[in-house]
Amino acid sequence: MTLASPRGAATRWLRPVRALLALGAAAVTAAAAAAPWTLTGTLGTHDPNIYKTSTTWWIFETTDNNGIGVKYSADGRNWKQGVPIFGSGLSWWRNYTAADKPAQVWAPGCGEWNGMGYCYYAVSRFGTQNSAIGLTTSAGGIAAGRWVDQGPVVTSTTGNTYNAIDPALARTAGGSPYLVYGSFWNGIFIRPVSSTTLKPSGTAVNIARDNVNGIENGFVISRATNGTTWYYLFASKNACCQGANSTYRIVVGRSSSITGPYVDKNGVAMMSGGGTVLASSGSRFKGPGGQSLLSNGSVMAWHAYDAWNNGAPVLFINNVTWGSDGWPLPVW
């Protein structure tokens, strides 16, 4: 997430979330072929990372100064706020976070890998590329809650072509893990990680860039269509974090290789500003972005800002409908 310039290059903040009502009526107002799900409970969120285990739905989220935020639900509709991971922060974070926000975490990317829970997350200082992506793992999975920090796995500083934030794990069709990350500057990158430790083990490849609007929050899934495996790169463009003035929109491109090149539905390269729009601002809810999907591409979660409630960021979830041409249809 970012303002009109990168999340490391402008003031980043979260608007306070007031008492939000169940979004049933609000969801219906969104313009889409199918309305987002009706949600209840604790719906204030930023950068929601959705994940589903056999019995529980999870959201991992940005916090203002409270570690890695966690929500959970038995059905994906009624959400409760859970106990944050490392809610008081870790000592090494202070090398990257602002002095008054020592436990601020951005855009975690969490799930399970070979029975192990994992969370990538970003810590950064406003106005700089002084950023790090950390990794924490939990033996026995997410629900076990045995989180052990593995330290920083990607870092950036002034002069790097990327900003080390917005991490998300991706997988090839054969099961090899990759880490997607980056924001503004040269955009979004992807690099292989160890299948044992989930730490980077190879060279980063630049897969999306937009020098006019900016691009971040990369999220990659694979999906087979008519016998062909495609990799889909979902991303957020434009400005977030300005409440009702936010101009984020969710876009997508695809490639036959996880490392690209990715193009949008019109054939425009995502390295040249391409991206087919899946969600943009409506009359009430502005700046949809910070998106994530279940690994099979069936469900997407995102945040948008409520212009009728002081620009508070709100959770949205919807089914993803895929066309016969292999492209996802707008979710909103």
Side-chain angles (χ1 to χ4, degrees):
M1 340 184 277
T2 157
L3 301 175
S5 51
R7 250 190 295 185
T11 301
R12 173 191 175 96
W13 49 272
L14 294 176
R15 285 188 174 268
V17 179
R18 305 194 175 183
L20 294 172
L21 302 175
L23 284 199
V28 173
T29 65
W37 296 0
T38 298
L39 305 179
T40 60
T42 307
L43 303 180
T45 196
H46 229 282
D47 303 320
N49 169 214
I50 193 167
Y51 188 78
K52 186 177 183 295
T53 59
S54 59
T55 59
T56 306
W57 293 73
W58 299 89
I59 291 287
F60 299 88
E61 60 194 359
T62 290
T63 65
D64 187 40
N65 192 27
N66 196 30
I68 302 169
V70 180
K71 286 180 169 63
Y72 63 95
S73 170
D75 59 5
R77 268 74 174 177
N78 181 25
W79 289 92
K80 298 179 181 180
Q81 197 70 41
V83 177
I85 302 169
F86 306 135
S88 298
L90 297 173
S91 59
W92 70 263
W93 294 1
R94 295 175 182 270
N95 296 322
Y96 299 93
T97 54
D100 62 338
K101 301 284 187 180
Q104 186 177 65
V105 169
W106 299 351
C110 309
E112 293 181 330
W113 176 264
N114 292 338
M116 176 181 68
Y118 69 85
C119 270
Y120 293 101
Y121 59 90
V123 287
S124 186
R125 244 175 233 163
F126 298 152
T128 76
Q129 285 172 276
N130 188 50
S131 309
I133 293 169
L135 171 65
T136 181
T137 57
S138 172
I142 289 172
R146 303 183 184 123
W147 296 105
V148 177
D149 192 56
Q150 305 297 330
V153 295
V154 181
T155 62
S156 63
T157 190
T158 302
N160 284 128
T161 58
Y162 60 90
N163 195 17
I165 66 171
D166 293 353
L169 189 69
R171 298 166 173 81
T172 65
S176 298
Y178 281 74
L179 181 63
V180 182
Y181 61 91
S183 169
F184 282 70
W185 281 276
N186 280 3
I188 297 171
F189 291 74
I190 190 169
R191 65 189 297 183
V193 297
S194 165
S195 60
T196 303
T197 66
L198 293 184
K199 295 181 180 181
S201 61
T203 303
V205 178
N206 197 181
I207 56 175
R209 186 186 306 170
D210 191 323
N211 294 331
V212 175
N213 301 298
I215 188 168
E216 55 191 0
N217 284 308
F219 197 95
V220 173
I221 63 166
S222 65
R223 193 173 185 277
T225 300
N226 299 323
T228 300
T229 296
W230 293 100
Y231 295 91
Y232 294 85
L233 170 59
F234 298 83
S236 302
K237 284 194 176 188
N238 285 22
C240 86
C241 312
Q242 297 183 21
N245 295 319
S246 301
T247 58
Y248 247 4
R249 63 181 187 269
I250 300 171
V251 301
V252 67
R254 74 180 186 184
S255 172
S256 59
S257 168
I258 196 169
T259 55
Y262 287 86
V263 301
D264 66 18
K265 196 171 182 178
N266 292 324
V268 180
M270 292 192 75
M271 282 292 288
S272 300
T276 299
V277 177
L278 297 180
S280 55
S281 294
S283 59
R284 175 176 178 180
F285 291 98
K286 308 295 184 179
Q291 73 296 319
S292 63
L293 293 88
L294 295 186
S295 60
N296 62 6
S298 62
V299 173
M300 179 187 290
W302 67 94
H303 72 250
Y305 301 90
D306 188 352
W308 298 358
N309 188 27
N310 298 308
V314 179
L315 174 65
F316 282 86
I317 301 175
N318 202 359
N319 297 321
V320 180
T321 301
W322 295 82
S324 58
D325 59 358
W327 285 95
L329 302 181
V331 295
W332 203 21

